[in-house]
Amino acid sequence: MQINIFYKTDLPKYYKTSAKYKKVILKALGRAAANNGELNLIIVGEKEIHKINKQFINHDYVTDVISFGYDFDAKQGGPFGDVFICFPQAKKQAAQ
């Protein structure tokens, strides 16, 4: 499994720990991590997640996570998906 991490918003330096994110993602995926797929983790701000939420899901608000799956053949492996995380919103919700 290839994991790509993109930072599309300002983050404190200690939150830019790609190796830790990759480790957690692989653990969460369990057996699916053995596939030849690709997962993109995109960390965004509130404006970007709002735009994505409105454009693709028709929800007019900020949310913490939006994910999109690719076509996937479990036998062949292959593409997996994109996960957008809104850092400010996730941080607010973690505090709650």
Side-chain angles (χ1 to χ4, degrees), residues 68-88:
F68 298 96
Y70 301 149
D71 289 336
F72 177 73
D73 181 345
K75 293 180 183 176
Q76 297 295 321
F80 205 80
D82 295 328
V83 178
F84 292 85
I85 297 178
C86 176
F87 176 77

Side-chain angles (χ1 to χ4, degrees), residues 2-3 5 7 11 16-17 22 36 39-42 51 53 59 61 66 70 73 77:
Q2 179 172 334
I3 300 170
I5 300 176
Y7 301 97
L11 294 177
K16 287 188 174 184
T17 55
K22 288 179 181 183
N36 293 325
L39 184 128
N40 296 311
L41 175 66
I42 306 102
K51 180 180 162 186
N53 207 10
H59 293 166
Y61 54 84
I66 298 174
Y70 301 149
D73 181 345

Side-chain angles (χ1 to χ4, degrees), residues 50-61 66 68:
H50 184 223
K51 180 180 162 186
I52 294 165
N53 207 10
K54 191 171 184 179
Q55 181 178 355
F56 293 100
I57 306 174
N58 203 28
H59 293 166
D60 193 12
Y61 54 84
I66 298 174
F68 298 96

Side-chain angles (χ1 to χ4, degrees), residues 1-69:
M1 171 73 59
Q2 179 172 334
I3 300 170
N4 304 305
I5 300 176
F6 303 96
Y7 301 97
K8 303 285 185 169
T9 191
D10 291 329
L11 294 177
K13 186 176 181 178
Y14 52 88
Y15 282 110
K16 287 188 174 184
T17 55
S18 297
K20 288 182 183 180
Y21 292 140
K22 288 179 181 183
K23 184 177 178 180
V24 169
I25 290 167
L26 290 171
K27 186 168 182 144
L29 290 173
R31 290 183 182 167
N35 293 322
N36 293 325
E38 181 175 352
L39 184 128
N40 296 311
L41 175 66
I42 306 102
I43 301 174
V44 299
E46 291 175 324
K47 287 182 182 180
E48 184 68 17
I49 202 85
H50 184 223
K51 180 180 162 186
I52 294 165
N53 207 10
K54 191 171 184 179
Q55 181 178 355
F56 293 100
I57 306 174
N58 203 28
H59 293 166
D60 193 12
Y61 54 84
V62 171
T63 189
D64 56 345
V65 177
I66 298 174
S67 62
F68 298 96

